[in-house]
Amino acid sequence: MKVARLLLLALFFTGVGLGTVRQVAAKDEWIQVRSKNFFLIGNASEKDIRKVGTRLEQFRETFRLLLKNANLTSPIPTNVVVFKSDSSYKNFKPKRADGKIDTFIAGYFQPGEDVNYITLSTEGEDARTYETIFHEYVHFIVDTNFGKSEVPAWFNEGLAEYYSTFEIEDNQEVKLGLPQNNHLDLLQQNKLMPLDQLFGVSNYQLHQTGSHSRSIFYAQSWALIHYLMQNGKSDGLGRFLGLLLKNVPADKAFQDAFQTNYSNMENELRKYVGKSSFRYNILTLSKKMTFDADMQTSPLSEAASNAYLGDLLYHTNRADDAEPFLIKSLNLDATSSMANTALGMVKIKQRKFDEAKTFLEKAIAVDQRNHNAFYQYAYLLSREGRDEFGFVQRFDQANAAKMREALRKAIAINPAFTESYELLAFVALVNNEELDDAVTQLKTALRYQPGNQRYALRIAEILLRQKNYAEALAIAEKIARTSDDSETKRRADELLSQIATHKEYEDRKSAEIKRLEALAANSGSTFRRFESPRPLTEAEVARQQEIARLRSINEALYKNAEAEQRAIGRLQKIECKSKQIFYTVKTDSETFVVTSKDFDSLVLKALDPAAVDISVGCDAKLADFTAVLTYKNVSSAKSGVRGELVAVDFVPTDFRFLTAEEMKGATYIVYEQSSEGQRPPGDTQRPPTMVENMPADLDARRRNAIMQALRDAVRKPLADEKRDIGYLEKLECSNKKIFFQLRTANGVVKLLDSSPESVKISFYTPDLGGLQIGCGMKAVEFPAVFTYTDKPDSKTKAAGEIISLEFMPKTFTLEP
């Protein structure tokens, strides 16, 4: 009676806690089935689970038979979770942008760096159940063979759509390319995209387009693949892709592969989609594809089933939902290495690093063959010593040794787990050690995962450190051009900027050395160039560094003309008025104003490392930076205006002009050194700054500069909008509306969200990577700048509608 009562109560409260994951019912019997290429678990019947395994193996084998040159062996294993009913599956489905569970999903494929997951329910199973799974599995195969960035978006999506309708009867008759009426209806009602436009859409652009344009792209990509497959041109697809991978221009590759041009193909495709009936391929195999006899079945304990479900939720970006399953698993079996590892990963996501270390150390202790535990432990160590922006200047030798030891063990256990190579290379990059070996490690990872752009980017960063600008440039340019991931593309764009900056720096340094050598020879001064180890005492080095630093800055200053004046001061204010820009300058002895017509006419230099990233513009806050300001007196200047600004050289706070005698008698020294900050793997990376002879307060000033850059980056409110900073406490979700509740210094602000996908959510702190904003989420301990419409609603008591939410480092403030 007790159980019956509990079930009855559950029926009355089905609307409570939408999105909350319930524990596995004790009565569920879970089993595990291992097929040749998949590991399946589920609470469905053994017969149904074996049926799912057979279907997946048949699809994979068909793909192998048709694409004989494709390598379907992946270093990343695939787990399949088979639920007996939609009700038991419901709470393990992905969440939508509004944080609610997407109940309409029939099955999905979740790729991961360490494991992939396929999930589905056998209740009401039909072709639709497998469409998304087959579609995403094709992407996985393409990525494994070529890398997503190497394959054109239309080719990748069209192929995935074509194979998504895979069906097989009697284990022998395969149906491929079944018509998709939704695609046909869309194409018959809309104008086709020109092929050069279709082929020009990159993976990145595809995800930035609106839903209607994206739907047409998918439909036309499917139709083109369908046309080629059904008209005996499938061999041309392989030739076309092969030519593209050899960097042959798309139009020439198309002409060579299909013996026709875009215009003719467009005409053929237009006729094809206008037909009233469509054929599909039927492939009758020489023998039946049966896999059931090769499958091995055994019971799965409640501890293990909870461990897998927790791991599944973690990999679908639901770390908080995963935690109770993993805790229950460990309560049942404290020695579960998998549950300890997964819970350690959850704790890393939750930024509870001490707890994470405890679980990961336990995972390693109970299973010395758990490569993922060793990797996650090393990753956890890599986070130590970070600043609030995610930078680590250097790992101490003891910590670096621990990471290397753990990663080498992970590689020895599972050489195919490629993240270990990447993290090992990152340690080398941060400490500027074993860089050649790091490149070798990353190339090994790329053999397992061709086209992985994160690995290629890391190689480019190392090549930049080694001053191999040409190779670094080639890699960064390709990634910036082909990446479909906004963060990867941003990193590649930043790396391109770094390469240009470093190359310019090296060119200027080489020119400066030559000039100094000539100047020293003509003036009787001494020129010395030291490379570590330096032959001087510390005191001598300090003295020489100081004079060399000041002399170098003096030499690099804008050379003022005879009629131009120079002053050392700070820009207190920049005001942009109708036709002039006014600069308020404060020196040690006075305050005055100079003007300019625009910013483009100014000569701007950053001779202070802390000023490298600042911007000069209207209302820019630059009072923390010392500058040499060059201006010319103008007789027609208005009262209170000193003259016209010509150049601004940002210099260290201790800068002074050297006398002619000091300049003449100086010993010219060039030191080869650099200081480069790095972010841990998976975090965004800011361009490193190459500097010489850093002032003692550089870190503090650089921090201030970054904070100001963040203030400049956040969204500026429009005339009818408001902006504030606070902490997101909760989201209130109803059937039709979502409300954000934020706590500010002045109280609680409630904001309406009528369209979740329209809210711009950004993260400017690496500590919140992977945070999912949704119904039932916990309060966030990091501040967020939020912008909203200034239209209060008395009915809902909302202050307006939220427009953007930008999470910042903990010490961030809107005002300096």
Side-chain angles (χ1 to χ4, degrees):
M1 290 298 293
K2 183 177 181 181
V3 173
R5 184 182 178 190
L6 288 173
L7 291 174
L8 183 63
L9 287 173
L11 293 174
F12 282 103
F13 291 94
T14 52
V16 177
L18 183 61
T20 300
V21 180
R22 292 187 289 271
Q23 294 286 324
V24 179
K27 67 176 183 178
D28 282 341
E29 293 183 2
W30 286 71
I31 63 172
Q32 54 187 339
V33 177
R34 191 173 294 278
S35 69
K36 185 177 179 181
N37 297 288
F38 300 93
F39 176 68
L40 302 96
I41 68 168
N43 60 356
S45 69
E46 179 181 347
K47 177 183 176 181
D48 284 343
I49 295 176
R50 283 174 171 268
K51 180 182 174 183
V52 171
T54 296
R55 186 81 175 270
L56 293 173
E57 291 286 1
Q58 288 172 335
F59 177 79
R60 186 182 183 280
E61 181 65 10
T62 300
F63 210 91
R64 186 189 69 80
L65 291 173
L66 293 175
L67 299 179
K68 293 182 174 59
N69 295 325
N71 174 25
L72 303 190
T73 302
S74 168
I76 302 174
T78 299
N79 294 341
V80 185
V81 185
V82 185
F83 295 93
K84 65 180 181 181
S85 63
D86 191 66
S87 60
S88 64
Y89 179 29
K90 175 183 175 182
N91 289 315
F92 297 93
K93 295 181 180 182
K95 289 184 176 180
R96 303 193 305 256
D98 61 2
K100 295 181 180 179
I101 288 175
D102 193 339
T103 57
F104 293 102
I105 285 180
Y108 70 91
F109 179 99
Q110 176 67 46
E113 294 169 354
D114 57 333
V115 64
N116 303 319
Y117 272 100
I118 291 174
T119 66
L120 71 159
S121 165
T122 58
E123 183 180 49
E125 181 184 324
D126 56 21
R128 177 174 166 269
T129 302
Y130 286 91
E131 279 187 14
T132 300
I133 294 170
F134 289 155
H135 179 106
E136 295 303 327
Y137 194 71
V138 171
H139 285 326
F140 173 62
I141 293 172
V142 169
D143 294 351
T144 298
N145 283 268
F146 309 107
K148 190 173 184 179
S149 61
E150 303 293 327
V151 180
W154 75 268
F155 188 103
N156 205 340
E157 297 300 342
L159 197 69
E161 283 292 275
Y162 179 84
Y163 280 102
S164 69
T165 58
F166 167 88
E167 287 187 9
I168 187 169
E169 293 181 2
D170 196 28
N171 296 325
Q172 193 169 14
E173 188 177 88
V174 174
K175 297 179 181 179
L176 295 171
L178 291 169
Q180 297 201 38
N181 294 329
N182 57 326
H183 287 337
L184 289 172
D185 291 344
L186 189 65
L187 293 174
Q188 290 170 355
Q189 296 170 17
N190 291 273
K191 187 177 180 181
L192 294 184
M193 297 170 63
L195 284 191
D196 58 347
Q197 182 180 338
L198 182 78
F199 292 172
V201 175
S202 67
N203 288 296
Y204 176 76
Q205 291 170 330
L206 177 60
H207 292 89
Q208 304 302 310
T209 58
S211 58
H212 180 70
S213 298
R214 191 161 59 246
S215 296
I216 293 176
F217 178 89
Y218 275 91
Q220 188 168 336
S221 298
W222 165 82
L224 182 54
I225 292 290
H226 199 283
Y227 169 78
L228 295 171
M229 289 286 198
Q230 295 300 132
N231 287 275
K233 301 178 186 293
S234 57
D235 290 343
L237 286 170
R239 289 194 296 272
F240 177 67
L241 183 58
L243 291 169
L244 287 181
L245 294 175
K246 294 178 181 178
N247 295 317
V248 175
D251 55 349
K252 187 177 187 311
F254 192 88
Q255 177 77 46
D256 292 348
F258 299 108
Q259 299 300 303
T260 188
N261 57 30
Y262 288 169
S263 179
N264 291 335
M265 183 62 77
E266 283 176 24
N267 290 333
E268 291 296 318
L269 184 61
R270 192 174 296 108
K271 294 176 184 176
Y272 189 69
V273 299
K275 293 166 55 177
S276 58
S277 63
F278 270 73
R279 294 178 299 160
Y280 56 86
N281 278 331
I282 298 179
L283 176 65
T284 302
L285 303 175
S286 59
K287 60 180 181 179
K288 292 187 176 185
M289 286 198 295
T290 57
F291 298 90
D292 195 70
D294 298 327
M295 296 183 187
Q296 300 175 351
T297 304
S298 60
L300 190 68
S301 69
E302 188 177 358
S305 62
N306 276 275
Y308 278 109
L309 291 174
D311 192 58
L312 165 65
L313 289 167
Y314 170 84
H315 281 86
T316 54
N317 198 26
R318 297 173 61 184
D320 290 343
D321 292 337
E323 185 175 7
F325 286 91
L326 297 170
I327 290 174
K328 182 173 183 180
S329 175
L330 291 175
N331 286 339
L332 294 167
D333 180 8
T335 65
S336 170
S337 186
M338 177 185 180
N340 275 294
T341 303
L343 193 51
M345 294 159 67
V346 166
K347 293 301 178 182
I348 291 175
K349 275 283 195 208
Q350 295 173 338
R351 298 170 298 283
K352 298 176 181 178
F353 303 124
D354 290 340
E355 292 182 45
K357 182 177 287 189
T358 299
F359 288 113
L360 292 173
E361 287 176 343
K362 180 67 177 293
I364 291 170
V366 298
D367 184 3
Q368 287 288 307
R369 301 295 299 169
N370 186 338
H371 70 276
N372 194 29
F374 280 109
Y375 166 77
Q376 296 294 340
Y377 183 72
Y379 173 72
L380 178 62
L381 293 176
S382 76
R383 299 179 63 93
E384 294 182 359
R386 296 191 336 167
D387 64 17
E388 62 185 315
F389 307 108
F391 289 97
V392 55
Q393 290 294 332
R394 185 176 180 83
F395 296 122
D396 66 66
Q397 289 303 317
N399 199 30
K402 286 181 182 179
M403 283 187 281
R404 288 193 175 105
E405 180 184 10
L407 292 169
R408 285 170 181 150
K409 285 182 178 179
I411 291 171
I413 297 166
N414 185 358
F417 181 64
T418 52
E419 288 297 295
S420 298
Y421 299 103
E422 202 280 339
L423 184 50
L424 195 58
F426 177 76
V427 176
L429 180 62
V430 170
N431 281 17
N432 202 29
E433 300 169 340
E434 305 175 12
L435 296 182
D436 288 338
D437 182 64
V439 172
T440 301
Q441 299 282 358
L442 290 165
K443 287 181 177 178
T444 300
L446 284 170
R447 285 200 294 272
Y448 286 106
Q449 286 198 38
N452 187 303
Q453 293 187 326
R454 286 192 299 109
Y455 301 167
L457 265 179
R458 192 68 79 197
I459 289 177
E461 290 165 0
I462 294 172
L463 292 174
L464 172 60
R465 178 73 59 84
Q466 296 175 318
K467 301 180 182 179
N468 187 340
Y469 301 120
E471 287 189 46
L473 181 65
I475 294 171
E477 283 182 335
K478 184 173 184 178
I479 294 173
R481 185 177 67 253
T482 62
S483 177
D484 68 326
D485 177 69
S486 58
E487 178 57 28
T488 302
K489 178 175 171 54
R490 186 194 65 77
R491 281 184 59 194
D493 288 336
E494 285 188 354
L495 188 58
L496 288 172
S497 176
Q498 293 173 47
I499 292 168
T501 300
H502 285 234
K503 183 67 168 60
E504 181 186 2
Y505 172 84
E506 289 295 325
D507 291 345
R508 284 192 290 107
K509 188 172 75 173
S510 297
E512 180 71 359
I513 289 172
K514 291 179 181 178
R515 190 186 69 80
L516 292 177
E517 288 174 335
L519 184 62
N522 294 331
S523 65
S525 301
T526 303
F527 176 82
R528 304 174 71 178
R529 179 177 178 180
F530 294 118
E531 297 184 12
S532 181
R534 297 171 182 148
L536 302 179
T537 66
E538 290 186 8
E540 289 172 329
V541 168
R543 286 196 300 272
Q544 295 288 10
Q545 280 184 330
E546 177 61 18
I547 194 68
R549 180 174 66 86
L550 289 174
R551 186 212 163 276
S552 177
I553 297 172
N554 273 268
E555 282 288 335
L557 289 173
Y558 169 80
K559 302 300 185 288
N560 58 309
E562 188 173 338
E564 294 173 345
Q565 306 292 318
R566 293 200 301 193
I568 300 175
R570 299 194 176 200
L571 291 169
Q572 298 294 307
K573 187 190 303 182
I574 301 178
E575 299 177 282
C576 298
K577 298 188 178 179
S578 56
K579 293 184 179 181
Q580 270 191 317
I581 303 170
F582 293 81
Y583 308 82
T584 301
V585 180
K586 183 178 182 181
T587 70
D588 289 340
S589 58
E590 62 176 334
T591 299
F592 60 89
V593 175
V594 290
T595 66
S596 72
K597 293 181 180 179
D598 52 43
F599 294 112
D600 293 337
S601 61
L602 297 180
V603 177
L604 301 173
K605 290 184 182 180
L607 303 177
D608 174 14
V612 168
D613 294 326
I614 65 174
S615 300
V616 177
C618 301
D619 299 319
K621 296 177 174 59
L622 304 173
D624 291 336
F625 299 92
T626 302
V628 174
L629 301 118
T630 304
Y631 60 94
K632 57 184 176 182
N633 292 322
V634 180
S635 58
S636 60
K638 297 180 181 179
S639 175
V641 175
R642 176 82 45 102
E644 183 179 338
L645 187 63
V646 176
V648 180
D649 295 275
F650 291 99
V651 296
T653 53
D654 60 348
F655 172 80
R656 65 182 177 86
F657 292 122
L658 294 182
T659 66
E661 189 65 26
E662 286 176 313
M663 293 291 290
K664 181 179 179 181
T667 297
Y668 304 111
I669 300 179
V670 175
Y671 289 101
E672 303 293 340
Q673 68 177 59
S674 67
S675 174
E676 310 219 7
Q678 296 288 337
R679 288 190 186 274
D683 289 329
T684 57
Q685 181 174 341
R686 181 173 167 270
T689 304
M690 293 187 67
V691 300
E692 294 195 8
N693 311 316
M694 295 187 297
D697 64 343
L698 175 64
D699 284 343
R701 293 165 62 204
R702 179 180 290 164
R703 180 186 178 282
N704 291 338
I706 294 175
M707 280 296 187
Q708 187 55 53
L710 292 177
R711 295 185 185 105
D712 295 338
V714 295
R715 189 182 188 280
K716 306 298 185 293
L718 302 179
D720 60 343
E721 297 173 355
K722 283 187 175 182
R723 185 178 73 175
D724 204 344
I725 185 170
Y727 294 84
L728 179 60
E729 289 194 327
K730 64 179 178 179
L731 265 68
E732 297 177 351
C733 302
S734 65
N735 291 333
K736 296 182 179 180
K737 295 180 180 178
I738 299 174
F739 294 95
F740 285 70
Q741 183 169 299
L742 296 114
R743 174 172 48 83
T744 72
N746 298 316
V748 174
V749 177
K750 183 179 180 182
L751 300 173
L752 171 65
D753 175 18
S754 59
S755 177
E757 294 186 359
S758 68
V759 180
K760 177 189 174 185
I761 299 178
S762 306
F763 299 94
Y764 291 93
T765 169
D767 288 310
L768 289 182
L771 176 68
Q772 186 169 357
I773 306 298
C775 306
M777 65 178 294
K778 295 180 180 179
V780 182
E781 69 269 30
F782 286 76
V785 177
F786 58 96
T787 308
Y788 59 100
T789 59
D790 187 14
K791 297 177 180 178
D793 184 352
S794 58
K795 185 177 180 180
T796 63
K797 297 183 180 180
E801 184 160 345
I802 188 166
I803 298 170
S804 66
L805 190 66
E806 299 168 281
F807 291 94
M808 313 303 293
K810 283 189 174 181
T811 60
F812 178 83
T813 57
L814 268 176
E815 298 298 329

